[in-house]
Amino acid sequence: MSDRSFLDWPFLEARHREHAADLDAWAREAVTGLDESDVDATCRELVRRLGAGGWLAPCVALDAGDRLDVRTLCLTRETLARHDGLADFAFAMQGLGTGPISLFGTPEQRGRWLPPVRAGEAVAAFALSEPEAGSDVSALATTARREGDEYVLDGTKTWISNGGIADVYTVFARTGEGPGAKGLSAFVVPAGTPGFSVPGRIELMAPHPLGTLRFEGCRIPAANRIGEPGKGFRIAMATLDVFRSTVGAAALGFARRALDEALGHTTRRELFGAPLADMQLTQAKLADMALDVDASALLVYRAAWAKDCHAERVTREASMAKLHATEHAQRVIDAAVQMHGGHGVTSGVPVERLYRDIRALRIYEGASEIQQQVIARQVLSAFRDGGGNGA
């Protein structure tokens, strides 16, 4: 049983503790033991179950007055990740895929696109990355040309989660109001729109639905534009500002599960006539793992609390949470695999799956190296604005 003492930290309220307990009980029955040989079907089924259970409500804000509570998002992702990586993925993409609509959509856009996603009846996707524009969003080449009451999209997106199974895509394209990041806009593109296709799927070491999107003279109503023209970069960054901390929370869930598996294995497994947990080297490693988990949790829930309670932007805090939690979850999981010996690299063993699941989190929604740059720029800016001289 994972350590739950963090739920009593002052970052969280009674409603958060209740949510975590209820979701944990639900997930034990609803998201374990699924046949994942058909990853597309499994993801659709997980979305359906999450929607039917009401668990997608925190990540889809139906009304303009609603807000995305980042602490609830983080608790949900941590809990689901601890049980099943695909369940976490299914939840996260429903939120990220419709995040721009939740945050910037018109009442009409909210009313049309959000209810089916929140109910688990439609699958969402967030289409930002391109073959030559991943970390550098300002280099996006996909274009959206205004023609009367329509926009015409041309270009290619890749590394798109839920690409090929989503019903609704949030797509970022260049509309030309300015150079670089100043000339981007966001659009809703339904699956099946003429000129929109998914020419290829991408296989990952930890299976997830991932694909390449192509737009060739793809016409959509101008009413499908989210927010003002040229504000797409702001919309994308504001969305990631909400969800970046939750990537750290997912990594934290993986790390907690790895620590649990290590504790269970080392207390049961005997070596030289005594439990493996009695060895000083094992205890030292377990201590490091527990330290990494708690430090990550503090950073994740600090960032979530800051966003919920007093800060418009939490760029620095979210980047710190994402960077530390993903990098140290990799370390915790690697240690758990090592403690399991040969069992740890056996296909299907929990720590083996965690080893594959965690790797992508250090890359998507901003690779670790990008997070380091973001953090450095934030602290340098604060130092310069404060007139610091190092004294």
Side-chain angles (χ1 to χ4, degrees):
M1 177 64 181
S2 290
D3 174 32
R4 313 303 285 162
S5 61
F6 77 98
L7 291 170
D8 294 322
W9 291 352
F11 296 124
L12 302 174
E13 302 169 15
R15 61 189 175 90
H16 296 119
R17 290 185 275 275
E18 182 178 352
H19 175 85
D22 290 346
L23 177 59
D24 186 56
W26 178 85
R28 284 195 211 103
E29 302 295 328
V31 306
T32 56
L34 288 172
D35 178 12
E36 297 184 0
S37 59
D38 185 340
V39 69
D40 289 359
T42 299
C43 281
R44 289 193 188 96
E45 176 61 17
L46 284 165
V47 167
R48 186 195 67 77
R49 293 187 186 189
L50 286 163
W55 301 111
L56 295 176
C59 69
V60 181
L62 293 182
D63 300 317
D66 293 343
R67 55 191 299 275
L68 298 172
D69 186 271
V70 184
R71 287 170 292 175
T72 300
L73 296 177
C74 286
L75 283 168
T76 302
R77 290 202 67 179
E78 178 185 338
T79 302
L80 290 173
R82 186 160 43 81
H83 286 280
D84 183 84
L86 272 181
D88 163 64
F89 170 86
F91 171 84
M93 287 314 304
Q94 293 296 91
L96 183 63
T98 56
I101 307 174
S102 289
L103 296 173
F104 297 95
T106 65
E108 292 76 16
Q109 289 170 342
R110 291 168 179 271
R112 180 177 180 184
W113 305 110
L114 297 185
V117 172
R118 181 166 165 151
E121 298 167 357
V123 176
F126 184 85
L128 182 64
S129 296
E130 297 184 3
E132 302 301 327
S135 298
D136 183 6
V137 176
S138 66
L140 291 185
T142 295
T143 60
R145 183 178 70 258
R146 182 75 182 255
E147 291 189 359
D149 292 333
E150 295 181 318
Y151 278 93
V152 183
L153 275 64
D154 288 283
T156 300
K157 298 288 182 180
T158 194
W159 303 108
I160 306 305
S161 294
N162 283 341
I165 73 166
D167 301 290
V168 56
Y169 294 79
T170 298
V171 178
F172 295 85
R174 184 164 300 285
T175 44
E177 288 77 15
K182 296 180 180 179
L184 307 177
S185 298
F187 301 90
V188 181
V189 182
T193 301
F196 170 40
S197 63
V198 183
R201 301 291 297 277
I202 302 169
E203 299 295 327
L204 299 180
M205 59 192 292
H208 291 76
L210 200 73
T212 296
L213 316 181
R214 183 170 296 153
F215 303 92
E216 298 174 296
C218 175
R219 291 181 175 272
I220 58 172
N224 284 24
R225 190 191 67 231
I226 305 169
E228 299 176 10
K231 301 298 184 182
F233 182 79
R234 173 175 173 262
I235 291 170
M237 293 304 104
T239 303
L240 292 175
D241 211 36
V242 169
F243 286 95
R244 184 161 284 150
S245 299
T246 77
V247 181
L252 178 58
F254 289 148
R256 284 197 198 279
R257 176 65 181 271
L259 178 56
D260 285 350
E261 295 291 335
L263 289 167
H265 178 77
T266 57
T267 53
R268 293 189 303 267
R269 178 80 163 91
E270 289 202 354
L271 188 66
F272 305 121
L276 185 59
D278 286 355
M279 297 181 63
Q280 288 185 339
L281 284 174
T282 302
Q283 292 177 1
K285 185 60 69 176
L286 290 170
D288 287 343
M289 294 164 74
L291 176 60
D292 286 342
V293 167
D294 269 21
S296 294
L298 284 163
L299 286 168
V300 165
Y301 289 107
R302 177 191 72 158
W305 170 82
K307 181 63 176 175
D308 287 340
C309 297
H310 75 88
E312 179 65 24
R313 297 297 304 273
V314 289
T315 303
R316 167 177 164 165
E317 293 87 347
S319 288
M320 285 182 169
K322 200 266 186 185
L323 174 63
H324 189 280
T326 56
E327 290 291 327
H328 287 77
Q330 182 84 60
R331 189 165 76 171
V332 169
I333 292 166
D334 184 75
V337 169
Q338 191 73 12
M339 288 179 184
H340 277 71
H343 294 290
V345 291
T346 303
S347 180
V349 170
V351 293
E352 182 269 340
R353 285 195 57 180
L354 290 166
Y355 194 83
R356 290 184 288 110
D357 281 336
I358 188 57
R359 191 60 186 84
L361 272 66
R362 294 168 59 200
I363 298 173
Y364 75 66
E365 289 192 40
S368 293
E369 293 76 13
I370 297 299
Q371 302 311 318
Q372 289 174 318
Q373 290 186 2
V374 170
I375 294 165
R377 288 170 182 166
Q378 291 284 311
V379 297
L380 283 168
S381 176
F383 179 79
R384 290 163 179 158
D385 290 348
N389 60 9

